[in-house]
Amino acid sequence: MTKTRKLISTALCAALCVVLPIAFHTIPNAGAIFLPMHIPVLLCGFLCGWPYGLACGMLGPVLSHLLTQMPPAALLPSMLCELAVYGLVTGLLYPRMRTRSEAAAIYVPLLSAMVCGRLVNGALNALIFQAGRYSLELWLSASVTTALPGIAIQLVVLPVLLGALRKAGFLRRTAPAVS
């Protein structure tokens, strides 16, 4: 993929970070449940690599906040960091996966990004953004329990979407698969 296509894809994913939450926020608390910004950022990391995934993870929530006030200002810093980690980790790991299994090549970076992003979110909330008011129970409730439907959607939709994009020629790993 050329640099121009990567920039266009990143811009499209950042735009989806604005549009998808609008659709989901017609349902109360749907953003925290279905995690509509996560899919475009993860997708950007897979498609364009870590610098673009990182940029999309930072740009998407900021644009969404500026245009729609979602996420709220209080949640923006931790969400920006979490999503930036998602784009960074998928973009770093996916091209380096050396396996014959395309499922493993997708799920290892995807699960790694989901875990790392949630850990960064929890650590930053506990140490900086909500110091003294954030607990393990609150993190588990917000990042795991409430988010289970969104996590399930990511685990189903992203591999299907990435498989379709790979078949269409839009997705290719740069590292050779193991023979």
Side-chain angles (χ1 to χ4, degrees):
M1 190 182 289
T2 66
K3 185 175 182 176
T4 302
R5 285 187 181 205
K6 287 180 181 181
L7 287 170
I8 292 168
S9 297
T10 302
L12 178 62
C13 288
L16 285 171
C17 286
V18 176
V19 174
L20 286 176
I22 291 170
F24 279 90
H25 280 281
T26 57
I27 304 166
N29 204 30
I33 296 170
F34 297 111
L35 313 172
M37 270 193 217
H38 295 206
I39 290 175
V41 172
L42 290 162
L43 181 63
C44 186
F46 276 107
L47 286 176
C48 303
W50 74 266
Y52 300 93
L54 175 69
C56 182
M58 295 170 69
L59 187 60
V62 170
L63 284 175
S64 183
H65 174 75
L66 291 173
L67 295 170
T68 68
Q69 302 304 303
M70 297 181 288
L75 298 178
L76 181 60
S78 63
M79 191 167 177
L80 182 149
C81 294
E82 177 183 10
L83 292 176
V85 169
Y86 286 172
L88 174 72
V89 172
T90 55
L92 280 174
L93 294 182
Y94 182 68
R96 291 165 178 80
M97 293 301 300
R98 299 183 186 274
T99 177
R100 283 185 242 162
S101 168
E102 192 61 28
I106 290 172
Y107 277 110
V108 169
L110 178 58
L111 291 169
S112 298
M114 292 167 75
V115 169
C116 290
R118 281 173 174 75
L119 290 175
V120 165
N121 178 296
L124 289 175
N125 275 322
L127 299 173
I128 300 171
F129 303 130
Q130 297 183 47
R133 300 177 315 221
Y134 204 74
S135 66
L136 180 61
E137 293 81 16
L138 187 59
W139 176 77
L140 286 171
S141 173
S143 293
V144 181
T145 308
T146 302
L148 279 176
I151 291 168
I153 289 169
Q154 291 168 26
L155 292 173
V156 172
V157 169
L158 274 162
V160 170
L161 185 57
L162 291 168
L165 289 170
R166 185 177 41 79
K167 285 181 184 174
F170 288 105
L171 181 66
R172 204 173 342 147
R173 284 187 285 147
T174 56
V178 175
S179 303

